[in-house]
C-alpha cells in the first residue's frame, strides 16, 4: 500500500463572510440584533433578552425604552420554531409590566399570542403564551380582546394539559375573565365546569385555590350551580372541608358552597347527604375567623329564600348563629348578625332568638366597631318588626339606652336601624311610657336633620310611634324637634313625606303642639301637598285636618264652619273669615293692634289666669278688652246678677255672616252685658258719673295689658258671668243620665238666658232714651 498523502485545505470562497463571534454587554446592542435576518442571531438575541427580563422590573422597563417590544411582536409569527418560542417566552415575562401591557394592546398582538395556544405547539410555548394572557387579562380592555379573538376556548382546553404550569396559567386567566358576565355565559357553553372541578384533585394548592375562586364566581349563575351539582361538585367541596390538611382551601370552598345553598335543589341534596349538619358543625367549631365568617355569609345568602329558611330552621341553624355572635372577630360577628337578620323572616326563628340572641345582640350595640353596631341593630330591627314579644325582650334587657346612643352614630345605616327598633318598641304602650326617661325625643333631633332619606323616614316614623304621650310631645316641642319635622313635609321622597305627615298628625293631638306646628308653617305646607295629586297621601290629609281640629279658631276662620265633634273651649275666638294662605294672628297680637273699622273679634274665655287681678275702683273690676279697640262694659262688676247677655260664637255658621259692627271698629266682645234691676232707672247725673269712671278704666288699660312693662306675662281677658253660667249648666245637666232629659234642661236654661238678655236689651234701650231726653 502506498503512503497516504495529506490533502491541503481549500481556501474559503472569496465571496463568503467569515463567521464572527460577538460578545455584547449592552442590552441596546442585543435589541438591535432583533432586526437581523439570521435565525440563529434572532434566537440567541431573544434568549439573552429573556434572561435579562427575568432579573427584575427595572430591566423590563429598560427593554421597553430601548424599543424591544415592537420587533419582538413580529417574531411571534416567525417561521423558525425556536425564534417563535423564545419570543413567546419573553412576552410571558414582559406582560407583567403595565406599560408593556398598554403597548401590546395598541400593537394588537392578541391574535398572535392566542395562536401560540394551538395543540401542535410545544408545551413551553403553551406555558408562556398562557402566562402572557394571564398577566394581560387583569385589565378590562385586554379581557375584551381575549374574548373577541376566541381565546377562551383554547384556555379551557389547556386545563387538561399534563403540565402544571400550563394549568395554573390557564385557570388564572379564566378566573380573571370570569369577572365579566359575558365570559361566564361563554364558559357555560364551553362546559368548563367539569375540567375546573378536576383541578380540585391537583397536588398543587395554588391550582386548587384558583379553581375554587373561579367556581366561586361562576356559581353565581343558576345554570352553573346546576352543572356543578350534576357533576358531583358538592361532594368535592364537602370533602375539602372535611380534610384538615386542606384548611387553606376551606374559606374559598365555603364561598362556593354559599352560592350552591341559594339553589333549593342543591340545598336539599346537601341536607339529605348530611352535608348541612357537617357545614354547621364545621362553622361552629372552627377556630379560624374567616371560615366562621364565610360560613355565616353562606347561611345569609341562602336564607333569603323562604324554603331555605324553613330548612335551616329545621336544622337549628339559629344555635350556630348565636354561637358565632360570641366570636372575638368583628367580621364573624357582623356576618352572624346579618345571617340572623335574614333568618328573621321565619317566625320560628324570631321566637328562638327571643331568649337566645337578643341579649348577645344588645351587647354588640356597645361594641367599639361601628360596623358591628350597625349589623347588630339591623338584626334587632328585623327581630322586633311585627313581633311584640321581641320588642319587650329588648326593653327588659336594657337595650333602649344603647339604641338611643346609636342615634348619634356617624353611620346612617346604624341610625336608621336603631330608630326602627325604638319605633317597634314604642308600639306597645307600657314600653312607650318608659322610653321617655331615656330622652328618645331629644335624641331624634339629629336623625330628623339628616341628609339621608332613609334616616329621615325612620326618624319621622319613630316620632309618630313615640309622640303618643303628652310628655313625649312636650319634650319634642321643648327640644326644638318640631321644626325639622315640619321641614320633612317638603321632602320630595314619598316615604319621608308620608312618615313626616304621620308624625305631625300624632303630634297635633294636643292644642299647644298643634298651634306650634301651625306657627312653623305645617298647615301651609300640608295644604300645598294636598293640592298635588302625586305628592299627597292619606296621612297628609289626616294631619291637615288634625291640625285644624286642634286649632278651632283657625279652622273656623278658614272654613267657616265647625263639625259636631269640635268642642269649643276657653280661648276660642272668631276673627272672621280669612283667605287661604293668610296668617291668623294670635290673641296677644290682636289685642295690641290699634282700633279700625272692622268688626269685633269674639272671644270665648270663662277662666281667669292664676295671677292676681289688677286693682280696680271700689265695687267694680275692669272689663279688659283687646283688639283694635276696647269695648268697656260693667259686665264684670256683678257676676251673680241674673240679667246678663253673652256675645260669643256657638261654633256653627259662617264667620262671614253679617254681624253688628260697633262704630269704634273691630273690638273684642266679652260678654257685653250689664246687670240691671228690673224697672230701676238712673238719673242723668248717675250716668255721667259712670261715664267718667269708664273713661278712667279705659285709660288704665295699657297698664293692665302690660304695655310699658314687656317682662310681664300676658293673659287673655275672661268673662266671670259666663264662667258662672257654665258652672250652673254643668251642675244641672251632669247628674242627669238620660240624654233627652239633658237636652230639655239645657234648652230651658238657654231660653231663660235669652229672655234675660232680651230684658236687658229693652232696659238698656229705655235707659239710652232717657239719657238723650
Amino acid at each position: 500500500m502506498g503512503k497516504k498523502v495529506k490533502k491541503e485545505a481549500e481556501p474559503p470562497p472569496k465571496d463568503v463572510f467569515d463567521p464572527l463571534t460577538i460578545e455584547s454587554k449592552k442590552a441596546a446592542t442585543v435589541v438591535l440584533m432583533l432586526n437581523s435576518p439570521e435565525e440563529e442571531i434572532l434566537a440567541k438575541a431573544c434568549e439573552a433578552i429573556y434572561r435579562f427580563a427575568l432579573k427584575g422590573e427595572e430591566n423590563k422597563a429598560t427593554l421597553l425604552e430601548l424599543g424591544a417590544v415592537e420587533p419582538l411582536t413580529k417574531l411571534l409569527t416567525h417561521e423558525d420554531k425556536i425564534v417563535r418560542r423564545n419570543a413567546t417566552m419573553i412576552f410571558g415575562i414582559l406582560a407583567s409590566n403595565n406599560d408593556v401591557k398598554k403597548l401590546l394592546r395598541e400593537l394588537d398582538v392578541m391574535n398572535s399570542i392566542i395562536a401560540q395556544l394551538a395543540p401542535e405547539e410545544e408545551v413551553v410555548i403553551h406555558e408562556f403564551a398562557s402566562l402572557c394572557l394571564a398577566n394581560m387579562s387583569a385589565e378590562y380592555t385586554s379581557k375584551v380582546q381575549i374574548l373577541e379573538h376566541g381565546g377562551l376556548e383554547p384556555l379551557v382546553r389547556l386545563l387538561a394539559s399534563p403540565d402544571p404550569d400550563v394549568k395554573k396559567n390557564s385557570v388564572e386567566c379564566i378566573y380573571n375573565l370570569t369577572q365579566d358576565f359575558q365570559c361566564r355565559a361563554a364558559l357555560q357553553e364551553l362546559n368548563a365546569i367539569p375540567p375546573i372541578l378536576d383541578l380540585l384533585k391537583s397536588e398543587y394548592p395554588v391550582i386548587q385555590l384558583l379553581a375554587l375562586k373561579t367556581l366561586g364566581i361562576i356559581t353565581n349563575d343558576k345554570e352553573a350551580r346546576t352543572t356543578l351539582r350534576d357533576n358531583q361538585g358538592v361532594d368535592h367541596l364537602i370533602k375539602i372541608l372535611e380534610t384538615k390538611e386542606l384548611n387553606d382551601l376551606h374559606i374559598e370552598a365555603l364561598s362556593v358552597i354559599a352560592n350552591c345553598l341559594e339553589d333549593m335543589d342543591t340545598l336539599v341534596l346537601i341536607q339529605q347527604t348530611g352535608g348541612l349538619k357537617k357545614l354547621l358543625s364545621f362553622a361552629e367549631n372552627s377556630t379560624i375567623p374567616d371560615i366562621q365568617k364565610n360560613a355565616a355569609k353562606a347561611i345569609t345568602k341562602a336564607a333569603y329564600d323562604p324554603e331555605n329558611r324553613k330548612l335551616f330552621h329545621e336544622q337549628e341553624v339559629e344555635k350556630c348563629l348565636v354561637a358565632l355572635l360570641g366570636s372575638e372577630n368583628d367580621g364573624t360577628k357582623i356576618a352572624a348578625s346579618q345571617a340572623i337578620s335574614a333568618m328573621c323572616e321565619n317566625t320560628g326563628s324570631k321566637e328562638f332568638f327571643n331568649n337566645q340572641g337578643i341579649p348577645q345582640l344588645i351587647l354588640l350595640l356597645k361594641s367599639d366597631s361601628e360596623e358591628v353596631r350597625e349589623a347588630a341593630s339591623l338584626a334587632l330591627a328585623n327581630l322586633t318588626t311585627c313581633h311584640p314579644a321581641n320588642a319587650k325582650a329588648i326593653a327588659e334587657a336594657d337595650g333602649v339606652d344603647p339604641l338611643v346612643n346609636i342615634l348619634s352614630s356617624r353611620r346612617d345605616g346604624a341610625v336608621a336601624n336603631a330608630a326602627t327598633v325604638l319605633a317597634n318598641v314604642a308600639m306597645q304602650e307600657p314600653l312607650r311610657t318608659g322610653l321617655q326617661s331615656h330622652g328618645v325625643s331629644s335624641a331624634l333631633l339629629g336623625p330628623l336633620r339628616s341628609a339621608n332619606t332613609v334616616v329621615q323616614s325612620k326618624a319621622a316614623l319613630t316620632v309618630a310611634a313615640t309622640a303618643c304621650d303628652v310628655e313625649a310631645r312636650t319634650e319634642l316641642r321643648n327640644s326644638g324637634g318640631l321644626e325639622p319635622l315640619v321641614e320633612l313635609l317638603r321632602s320630595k321622597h314619598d316615604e319621608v313625606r308620608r312618615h313626616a305627615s304621620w308624625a305631625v298628625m300624632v303630634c297635633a293631638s294636643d292644642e299647644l303642639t298643634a298651634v306650634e306646628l301651625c306657627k312653623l308653617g305645617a298647615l301651609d305646607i300640608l295644604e300645598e301637598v294636598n293640592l298635588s295629586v302625586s305628592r299627597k297621601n292619606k296621612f297628609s290629609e289626616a294631619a291637615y285636618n288634625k291640625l285644624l281640629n286642634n286649632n278651632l279658631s283657625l279652622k273656623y276662620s278658614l272654613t267657616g264652619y265647625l263639625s259636631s265633634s269640635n268642642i269649643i273651649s276657653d280661648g276660642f275666638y272668631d276673627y272672621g273669615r280669612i283667605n287661604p294662605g293668610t296668617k291668623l294672628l294670635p290673641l296677644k297680637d290682636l289685642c295690641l293692634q290699634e282700633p279700625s273699622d272692622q268688626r269685633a273679634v269674639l272671644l270665648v274665655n270663662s277662666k281667669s289666669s292664676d295671677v292676681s287681678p289688677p286693682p280696680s275702683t271700689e265695687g267694680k273690676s275692669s272689663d279688659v278688652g283687646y283688639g283694635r279697640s276696647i269695648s268697656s262694659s260693667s259686665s264684670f262688676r256683678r257676676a251673680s246678677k241674673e240679667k246678663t247677655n253673652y256675645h260669643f260664637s256657638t261654633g256653627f255658621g259662617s264667620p262671614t255672616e253679617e254681624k253688628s259692627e260697633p262704630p269704634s271698629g273691630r273690638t273684642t266682645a266679652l260678654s257685653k252685658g250689664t246687670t240691671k234691676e228690673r224697672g230701676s232707672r238712673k238719673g242723668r247725673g248717675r250716668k255721667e258719673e259712670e261715664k267718667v269712671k269708664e273713661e278712667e278704666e279705659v285709660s288704665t288699660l295699657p297698664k293692665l295689658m302690660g304695655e310699658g312693662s314687656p317682662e310681664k306675662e300676658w293673659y287673655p281677658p275672661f268673662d266671670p258671668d259666663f264662667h258662672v253660667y257654665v258652672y250652673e249648666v254643668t251642675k244641672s245637666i251632669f247628674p242627669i243620665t238620660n240624654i233627652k232629659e239633658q237636652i230639655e234642661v239645657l234648652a230651658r236654661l238657654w231660653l231663660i238666658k235669652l229672655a234675660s238678655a232680651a230684658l236687658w236689651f229693652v232696659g238698656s234701650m229705655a235707659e239710652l232714651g232717657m239719657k238723650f231726653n
Side-chain angles (χ1 to χ4, degrees):
M1 294 180 63
K3 187 178 180 180
K4 292 183 179 180
V5 180
K6 187 178 180 181
K7 293 182 179 180
E8 294 183 6
E10 296 181 1
K14 295 180 180 181
D15 57 344
V16 176
F17 186 80
D18 295 335
L20 177 65
T21 303
I22 299 176
E23 183 177 343
S24 176
K25 295 183 179 181
K26 299 289 184 180
T29 304
V30 179
V31 170
L32 292 174
M33 295 169 62
L34 294 175
N35 295 312
S36 172
E38 297 185 46
E39 297 173 355
E40 186 177 357
I41 292 176
L42 291 174
K44 290 183 178 181
C46 287
E47 185 178 352
I49 290 174
Y50 169 74
R51 291 196 302 268
F52 181 72
L54 277 176
K55 293 179 180 180
E57 291 297 321
E58 292 182 0
N59 291 356
K60 297 175 187 177
T62 299
L63 291 172
L64 180 64
E65 292 176 1
L66 293 174
V69 175
E70 189 169 357
L72 281 170
T73 57
K74 298 177 182 178
L75 300 181
L76 287 173
T77 56
H78 200 277
E79 296 178 355
D80 186 78
K81 200 170 188 178
I82 297 176
V83 173
R84 192 167 64 251
R85 180 192 65 192
N86 291 351
T88 304
M89 292 171 62
I90 293 173
F91 280 117
I93 303 301
L94 286 180
S96 63
N97 183 279
N98 291 328
D99 293 328
V100 173
K101 291 179 190 177
K102 182 179 179 180
L103 182 56
L104 288 177
R105 288 196 299 270
E106 294 174 357
L107 295 173
D108 195 17
V109 297
M110 196 64 70
N111 196 41
S112 300
I113 296 173
I114 292 174
Q116 309 307 311
L117 301 179
E120 62 272 10
E121 294 291 350
E122 298 179 7
V123 173
V124 176
I125 293 180
H126 287 169
E127 176 186 347
F128 286 96
S130 59
L131 178 60
C132 179
L133 292 176
N135 286 328
M136 295 191 68
S137 62
E139 296 182 358
Y140 176 76
T141 307
S142 297
K143 291 177 188 177
V144 174
Q145 288 184 351
I146 292 173
L147 289 174
E148 288 178 349
H149 290 86
L152 192 57
E153 183 178 359
L155 286 169
V156 171
R157 186 182 66 251
L158 289 178
L159 292 177
S161 172
D163 186 84
D165 288 321
V166 175
K167 289 182 178 179
K168 181 262 180 186
N169 295 335
S170 298
V171 72
E172 183 178 1
C173 185
I174 292 173
Y175 168 68
N176 290 335
L177 293 174
T178 53
Q179 313 294 324
D180 184 75
F181 74 95
Q182 292 180 342
C183 176
R184 293 198 294 272
L187 282 174
Q188 187 65 26
E189 295 177 0
L190 293 172
N191 197 25
I193 289 181
I196 294 175
L197 283 173
D198 287 338
L199 296 181
L200 297 179
K201 304 172 186 178
S202 173
E203 58 181 320
Y204 297 96
V206 64
I207 295 178
Q208 293 175 312
L209 185 62
L210 286 169
L212 287 172
K213 285 185 174 183
T214 305
L215 290 173
I217 298 177
I218 293 174
T219 51
N220 282 311
D221 300 329
K222 186 175 181 180
E223 293 182 358
R225 291 195 294 268
T226 303
T227 305
L228 183 75
R229 184 182 68 243
D230 294 343
N231 286 273
Q232 291 76 45
V234 177
D235 294 337
H236 290 300
L237 297 170
I238 296 295
K239 287 179 181 178
I240 290 175
L241 293 180
E242 292 176 337
T243 307
K244 293 182 179 180
E245 292 77 11
L246 299 177
N247 56 6
D248 56 332
L249 302 177
H250 288 171
I251 296 174
E252 298 301 334
L254 279 171
S255 297
V256 183
I257 292 177
N259 293 337
C260 294
L261 292 180
E262 293 185 56
D263 185 67
M264 184 60 190
D265 294 334
T266 306
L267 180 58
V268 171
L269 176 63
I270 295 175
Q271 189 267 340
Q272 290 176 348
T273 57
L276 188 55
K277 281 190 175 181
K278 292 179 182 178
L279 174 63
L280 297 178
S281 176
F282 173 77
E284 187 174 348
N285 299 322
S286 176
T287 57
I288 302 175
D290 284 342
I291 289 178
Q292 293 182 320
K293 178 178 67 177
N294 280 23
K297 286 183 177 180
I299 295 170
T300 303
K301 293 183 71 174
Y304 286 117
D305 183 89
E307 294 298 326
N308 291 353
R309 287 196 298 271
K310 182 179 179 181
L311 190 57
F312 276 142
H313 179 60
E314 293 173 355
Q315 296 294 318
E316 298 181 330
V317 72
E318 297 88 353
K319 292 182 179 179
C320 173
L321 296 176
V322 172
L324 294 180
L325 287 177
S327 170
E328 296 181 358
N329 181 267
D330 286 346
T332 302
K333 294 175 183 176
I334 293 171
S337 299
Q338 292 170 342
I340 291 175
S341 300
M343 286 299 298
C344 283
E345 294 295 325
N346 183 280
T347 305
S349 296
K350 278 188 175 180
E351 294 174 355
F352 177 90
F353 291 122
N354 183 266
N355 295 321
Q356 303 180 52
I358 286 181
Q360 291 88 332
L361 287 169
I362 291 175
L363 286 176
L364 295 184
L365 293 178
K366 305 172 185 178
S367 171
D368 295 333
S369 169
E370 291 191 356
E371 291 84 356
V372 172
R373 294 200 297 270
E374 181 176 356
S377 61
L378 175 62
L380 291 173
N382 290 345
L383 280 170
T384 54
T385 300
C386 301
H387 203 286
N390 285 346
K392 183 179 180 181
I394 288 177
E396 292 176 348
D398 298 326
V400 175
D401 271 338
L403 286 168
V404 172
N405 293 335
I406 288 178
L407 291 178
S408 59
S409 172
R410 291 174 296 179
R411 295 182 70 89
D412 290 336
V415 175
N417 296 336
T420 302
V421 180
L422 292 171
N424 292 337
V425 172
M427 294 297 181
Q428 302 176 63
E429 185 175 353
L431 303 180
R432 182 174 64 246
T433 305
L435 286 179
Q436 297 313 311
S437 60
H438 299 275
V440 174
S441 297
S442 301
L444 286 170
L445 291 182
L448 286 173
R449 293 190 175 101
S450 172
N452 186 290
T453 55
V454 176
V455 174
Q456 292 173 350
S457 173
K458 300 302 181 183
L461 184 63
T462 307
V463 171
T466 57
C468 299
D469 303 319
V470 177
E471 294 81 3
R473 292 192 289 269
T474 302
E475 182 184 349
L476 185 70
R477 186 174 66 248
N478 294 339
S479 61
L482 295 182
E483 185 175 357
L485 181 62
V486 170
E487 284 301 313
L488 293 184
L489 294 173
R490 305 178 188 272
S491 175
K492 297 181 180 179
H493 194 276
D494 291 342
E495 187 176 272
V496 173
R497 196 168 55 252
R498 182 169 58 252
H499 288 171
S501 300
W502 187 0
V504 168
M505 181 189 71
V506 173
C507 291
S509 296
D510 64 75
E511 187 174 350
L512 286 176
T513 309
V515 171
E516 184 65 24
L517 286 168
C518 290
K519 287 181 181 178
L520 294 171
L523 200 66
D524 297 334
I525 299 172
L526 287 169
E527 184 179 15
E528 180 187 349
V529 168
N530 291 334
L531 290 175
S532 171
V533 177
S534 60
R535 297 178 64 201
K536 73 176 182 179
N537 54 75
K538 292 182 179 179
F539 287 114
S540 66
E541 295 173 341
Y544 181 80
N545 293 329
K546 193 70 170 288
L547 283 172
L548 287 182
N549 288 333
N550 281 286
N551 196 336
L552 294 182
S553 300
L554 179 61
K555 180 177 181 179
Y556 192 54
S557 293
L558 279 174
T559 64
Y561 70 91
L562 298 179
S563 64
S564 58
S565 60
N566 296 144
I567 308 300
I568 293 176
S569 59
D570 289 306
F572 173 85
Y573 61 100
D574 174 14
Y575 178 87
R577 191 67 178 267
I578 62 175
N579 296 323
T582 305
K583 298 288 184 181
L584 178 64
L585 297 177
L587 279 173
K588 183 177 180 181
D589 293 347
L590 290 172
C591 177
L592 299 178
Q593 285 185 353
E594 295 296 327
S596 69
D597 59 350
Q598 299 183 28
R599 74 159 178 80
V601 176
L602 310 179
L603 170 67
V604 176
N605 192 35
S606 65
K607 294 182 180 179
S608 65
S609 62
D610 294 332
V611 298
S612 301
S616 62
T617 56
E618 184 179 356
K620 299 178 183 179
S621 63
S622 300
D623 182 1
V624 183
Y626 66 100
R628 295 181 178 86
S629 66
I630 304 301
S631 176
S632 301
S633 71
S634 57
S635 62
F636 288 176
R637 296 172 189 168
R638 296 178 184 86
S640 60
K641 296 294 180 178
E642 296 178 356
K643 298 177 182 179
T644 311
N645 178 41
Y646 301 95
H647 191 42
F648 65 97
S649 172
T650 62
F652 300 96
S654 172
T656 58
E657 292 176 2
E658 194 69 29
K659 295 184 177 66
S660 58
E661 297 184 4
S664 59
R666 180 179 284 241
T667 63
T668 303
L670 297 170
S671 302
K672 275 190 174 180
T674 307
T675 308
K676 301 293 178 182
E677 294 183 3
R678 188 172 300 174
S680 64
R681 294 290 183 270
K682 306 290 182 180
R684 184 181 301 273
R686 177 66 177 167
K687 290 300 175 181
E688 291 177 354
E689 181 183 350
E690 286 188 2
K691 181 178 180 181
V692 171
K693 290 182 178 180
E694 288 179 356
E695 289 175 354
E696 291 176 354
E697 291 173 0
V698 173
S699 66
T700 60
L701 179 63
K703 297 179 181 180
L704 299 179
M705 291 171 53
E707 291 183 10
S709 55
E711 70 280 355
K712 186 175 180 181
E713 187 173 357
W714 180 86
Y715 295 97
F718 72 100
D719 189 338
D721 292 340
F722 180 47
H723 177 72
V724 172
Y725 176 62
V726 171
Y727 174 75
E728 291 175 353
V729 170
T730 303
K731 187 172 69 172
S732 302
I733 291 178
F734 274 15
I736 304 173
T737 57
N738 187 279
I739 296 179
K740 183 178 179 182
E741 294 179 5
Q742 285 182 335
I743 295 173
E744 291 175 352
V745 171
L746 179 61
R748 282 197 296 270
L749 292 172
W750 185 247
L751 287 173
I752 293 172
K753 191 59 62 176
L754 287 176
S756 300
L759 289 174
W760 172 85
F761 180 75
V762 172
S764 298
M765 291 298 101
E767 207 174 304
L768 186 62
M770 290 176 59
K771 179 177 180 180
F772 282 99
N773 290 332

